[in-house]
Amino acid sequence: GGYRTVELPDNDKEPTAASRHVYRAFDFVPELKSVFICNGANQSVMKNDKHVAHDECNGAWRLDLKTNRWTAMPSAPFPPNGLDDAMAYCPDTKSLIYAGNNGQVWILELAEGKWRKAKNSPPPRTAFGRTICYDPTKKRMLLIGGGRLDGWQKGPAPEFRELFGFDPRAETVERLADGPTAFCESQLAYDSKREMFVTVAVFNKKEQPSGMFGYDPRKNAW
């Protein structure tokens, strides 16, 4: 649209993360009272009067809620900024687990502040819109959905129904029960009373079944 996101003068004294759409690649870590983000999108970012766009959105940042200050977390390598990625905190390993849109899982060890590729990931494929969340019943991460850009509009799109369990300690992957509909940018919410996950899928053009769905991690059933 021709607009630009420019740095404020105070950014030289107190660096902050460039304004961006982080998709689902952010989470709150209670022990550290901090929010972490990684990568994201903003086509309008300016840096030193130069249009740099998404490049300035690469990498991880920490916002300390006690001091209200941002800190960059430089690390090489780090997850490539493929857009439409997801990240969630694992309290058991004190690490952030990142689900890239190429299927690769990355791990950020918070004590070290360094990223590394997980030993195992779901089968490699395009996974735009895949989401990730922590499963306290099995002490694992759930990775669900995602696929080719807008691919859920075309036919059954079985890849968008895939659900995987990632064990953050052994770094192993298990294929779980396929979902009842396509999931893209869909978040699983945990109901601790019933020990179930719930999510909502809405397809206005009825490309896929719409509604509220529940997943029982104990029975591995929708």
Side-chain angles (χ1 to χ4, degrees):
Y3 61 90
R4 292 289 181 262
T5 303
V6 298
E7 294 180 289
L8 297 176
D10 288 347
N11 207 55
D12 290 334
K13 299 177 183 178
E14 185 181 332
T16 62
S19 299
R20 70 192 70 182
H21 180 359
V22 294
Y23 298 98
R24 289 151 312 286
F26 72 100
D27 207 353
F28 172 63
V29 178
E31 298 96 315
L32 300 177
K33 292 183 171 59
S34 297
V35 173
F36 292 82
I37 67 174
C38 185
N39 296 333
N42 185 345
Q43 297 186 45
S44 69
V45 178
M46 300 289 291
K47 182 74 173 179
N48 298 324
D49 297 324
K50 182 181 178 182
H51 183 212
V52 293
H54 299 315
D55 290 346
E56 192 62 19
C57 300
N58 296 346
W61 286 77
R62 170 183 175 178
L63 174 62
D64 188 323
L65 298 180
K66 293 180 292 186
T67 63
N68 198 32
R69 285 183 175 270
W70 286 96
T71 303
M73 302 181 67
S75 174
F78 65 88
N81 190 2
L83 310 182
D84 220 341
D85 295 344
M87 181 174 75
Y89 178 58
C90 176
D92 305 309
T93 58
K94 311 297 183 187
S95 61
L96 287 162
I97 313 298
Y98 189 100
N101 68 31
N102 61 354
Q104 177 67 51
V105 173
W106 290 74
I107 299 173
L108 174 61
E109 306 287 1
L110 291 175
E112 302 174 2
K114 298 294 183 182
W115 287 100
R116 62 179 175 83
K117 290 183 178 181
K119 296 176 183 177
N120 294 283
S121 296
R125 64 167 174 80
T126 302
F128 283 100
R130 173 176 282 170
T131 55
I132 182 171
C133 69
Y134 177 66
D135 175 5
T137 68
K138 300 285 187 179
K139 297 186 181 301
R140 64 186 176 186
M141 313 302 291
L142 296 177
L143 294 85
I144 185 168
R148 296 158 294 138
L149 183 62
D150 297 332
W152 48 267
Q153 298 179 3
K154 305 165 185 176
E159 68 273 20
F160 284 90
R161 300 184 179 216
E162 292 178 352
L163 175 66
F164 295 94
F166 176 78
D167 184 329
R169 294 168 298 276
E171 297 181 33
T172 55
V173 176
E174 178 185 6
R175 177 75 178 270
L176 301 174
D178 285 355
T181 188
F183 294 107
C184 183
E185 301 181 353
S186 301
Q187 189 62 45
L188 294 173
Y190 183 62
D191 181 341
S192 59
K193 182 178 180 179
R194 297 171 179 81
E195 295 188 319
M196 291 186 65
F197 289 89
V198 294
T199 188
V200 173
V202 178
F203 295 95
N204 292 330
K205 297 180 181 179
K206 301 181 179 180
E207 305 95 330
Q208 305 284 344
S210 296
M212 178 178 286
F213 303 95
Y215 174 71
D216 186 336
R218 297 163 299 176
K219 299 178 180 178
N220 185 31
W222 290 89

